[in-house]
Amino acid sequence: MRDSSPLPPRAAVLSRRAALGLAAAVPLAAASRAAAATASATPSGAPPTAPIGGELLGRGGVQVLGASGLPKRLTARSWLVADHDSGEVLASFDAHRPLAPASTLKMLFADTVLKKFERTERHRVTDADLAGIPAGSSLVGVKPGITYTVEQLWLGVFLRSGNDAVHVLSHMNGGVPETVAQMQAKAEDLQALDTHVVSPDGFDHKGQLSSAYDLTLFARHGLADADFRAYCSTRTADFPAGGKKTFQIQNTDRLLTGAWGVPTYDGLIGVKNGYTSHAGNTFTGAATRDGRTLLVTVMHPKSGGSGVYEETAALLDWGFRQGAHARPVGMLVAPLSEGGGKAKPTGKPARPAAGAPARAEPGGSSWGLAGGAGGAAAVLAGAAVAWRRRRRAAGTGGEPAPTPEAGAPDRRVPDTGAPGTGEPGPGDSGARHGR
């Protein structure tokens, strides 16, 4: 049923992550160039704060140090390239920009709920389990009266991005409101403070936001779990249709399956794609080559159809070619529950950014690790919440909703009583829908 790709053990790098987690949250005060600027002006009287993962990640524009050759035709409104094992962010563009996540938010849903139930546990679906699914949702074809294993429901979530499977698992977990609250708490623990959860499925809802940085945290955390890795790397599976009948479902990740003419990416593990008419296309992918695993998140590229996969592949290619030469511009912080250091105020006055910050200079330093423990000792409590509120306000107050691209793919699976029938082609278009 599965086609799983191996991932280098994470245990070997946990001690390094724990050691670097606190330093990642420090505002890099010892770095002479990086410490001077912040992502935006701090309101008068408010304590200046550092963005999660490092100062440079809070700046607008491209951030890269010591490496060249980034893809020239990237159109995404936000993207990030990171090393899975070390957590080093190798390059980014508006990493903390709050944007609608679409179904990539299902990675956080899995991080929150996946370990609550055994894979072999069985559940007979009721009408109540399927109540409240937003019209136009992507569906795998879950039907009341049919008994499913938990494993089958998760395959419906990962392969077909089925909101019906998400809602069934949420009801098993105590209901949708309870699951949303748990997801928000999980985001807090992961230090994904750009994320505001409104629904467990990622469908368009006012105020539902995440960022390239946060989505990458969700993927990295999820890939530490063997079941998560297995589900997100599964290409096809048989799904119950009632009685002894089944139908085949295929993963909608085109880099994994090669659907719609997109070449499969060598070494790809997963992780999760998404689309709604508000969010456009979003994708977080992970791939392993020559013993190295990279994570790439791409949000809201201008190009519809397969553009999100093409830009992800281009950034993965860059990471495998040039990533070894790049000096980190930030870090993927460790969860608080695993010893990650919490972001704190800088204790220094912030300087307003004059327009869009330029690309970080190759000769500059992105870290202030020379400050070592001294920099960490300067950290004060409370900035993580302040940073989240400031970024969230920026995403909801002045950010116009993106307009769907002409010819953007209609990924809706209409609830006609028939099981999901697959992902429409790049030229199809439709109204509001969510995958």
Side-chain angles (χ1 to χ4, degrees):
M1 178 176 287
R2 292 201 183 89
D3 186 352
S4 303
S5 301
L7 185 71
R10 188 177 174 192
V13 298
L14 284 178
S15 59
R16 184 180 181 190
R17 286 185 55 205
L20 290 175
L22 182 58
V26 177
L28 315 178
S32 59
R33 290 188 182 178
T38 58
S40 61
T42 301
S44 176
T49 60
I52 301 293
E55 176 100 16
L56 292 181
L57 297 184
R59 299 186 185 181
V62 174
Q63 304 299 325
V64 63
L65 295 170
S68 59
L70 279 169
K72 297 183 182 301
R73 296 184 178 179
L74 298 175
T75 67
R77 301 170 75 192
S78 179
W79 55 260
L80 184 144
V81 183
D83 185 283
H84 169 272
D85 292 343
S86 69
E88 295 175 348
V89 178
L90 307 179
S92 70
F93 176 73
D94 287 0
H96 280 293
R97 184 177 189 176
L99 295 166
S103 284
T104 47
L105 194 66
K106 288 182 172 76
M107 293 187 293
L108 176 61
F109 174 70
D111 289 343
T112 305
V113 179
L114 188 59
K115 306 310 292 183
K116 300 286 187 73
F117 309 103
E118 294 293 331
R119 293 156 49 122
T120 55
E121 184 174 336
R122 299 171 67 82
H123 178 77
R124 184 177 178 86
V125 173
T126 67
D127 289 323
D129 292 334
L130 300 174
I133 298 174
S137 289
S138 55
L139 306 172
V140 65
V142 175
K143 299 299 174 188
I146 297 179
T147 299
Y148 301 86
T149 65
V150 165
E151 179 179 15
Q152 290 166 338
L153 292 170
W154 280 115
L155 288 169
V157 172
F158 277 92
L159 273 67
R160 297 304 307 170
S161 208
N163 288 3
D164 45 359
V166 169
H167 278 251
V168 172
L169 287 164
S170 295
H171 280 277
M172 292 173 64
N173 188 51
V176 169
E178 173 65 20
T179 300
V180 167
Q182 291 179 18
M183 289 173 65
Q184 191 66 59
K186 187 68 173 180
E188 299 280 346
D189 178 63
L190 296 177
Q191 304 201 63
L193 303 186
D194 304 320
T195 297
H196 181 232
V197 183
V198 179
S199 70
D201 48 38
F203 200 78
D204 286 340
H205 293 279
K206 184 178 180 180
Q208 183 142 276
L209 297 167
S210 192
S211 66
Y213 183 85
D214 286 9
L215 293 178
T216 310
L217 287 179
F218 301 155
R220 189 186 191 213
H221 183 77
L223 289 171
D225 181 83
D227 287 339
F228 186 108
R229 291 200 308 273
Y231 292 140
C232 77
S233 63
T234 299
R235 290 172 171 82
T236 62
D238 293 327
F239 198 78
K244 296 183 178 180
K245 297 181 179 179
T246 63
F247 59 94
Q248 188 180 84
I249 56 175
Q250 183 182 50
N251 202 312
T252 56
D253 177 354
R254 300 180 191 181
L255 285 182
L256 188 68
T257 65
W260 302 108
V262 176
T264 56
Y265 194 85
D266 183 30
L268 193 81
I269 300 168
V271 179
K272 189 70 188 78
N273 57 326
Y275 175 81
T276 68
S277 55
H278 175 59
N281 292 283
T282 60
F283 182 60
T284 297
T288 299
R289 288 185 181 178
D290 298 323
R292 187 180 196 190
T293 299
L294 297 181
L295 296 162
V296 168
T297 295
V298 171
M299 299 187 76
H300 300 216
K302 292 181 180 179
S303 51
S306 296
V308 71
Y309 303 105
E310 294 165 358
E311 295 191 17
T312 297
L315 285 167
L316 283 169
D317 285 344
W318 175 85
F320 286 120
R321 288 196 311 263
Q322 301 291 337
H325 306 293
R327 296 195 301 278
V329 297
M331 288 290 294
L332 298 177
V333 296
L336 296 174
S337 59
E338 296 180 16
K342 195 172 184 179
K344 313 294 182 181
T346 66
K348 293 188 176 183
R351 187 179 73 186
R359 178 189 301 257
E361 297 180 18
S365 172
S366 66
W367 283 114
L369 294 183
V379 176
L380 303 174
V385 173
W387 173 253
R388 180 191 63 203
R389 289 173 178 169
R390 197 171 77 197
R391 294 300 298 177
R392 191 175 294 160
T396 56
E399 184 86 44
T403 302
E405 296 290 325
D410 182 354
R411 304 190 179 191
R412 176 177 56 188
V413 180
D415 190 4
T416 59
T421 55
E423 186 178 55
D428 296 339
S429 61
R432 189 166 176 262
H433 39 271
R435 179 177 303 289

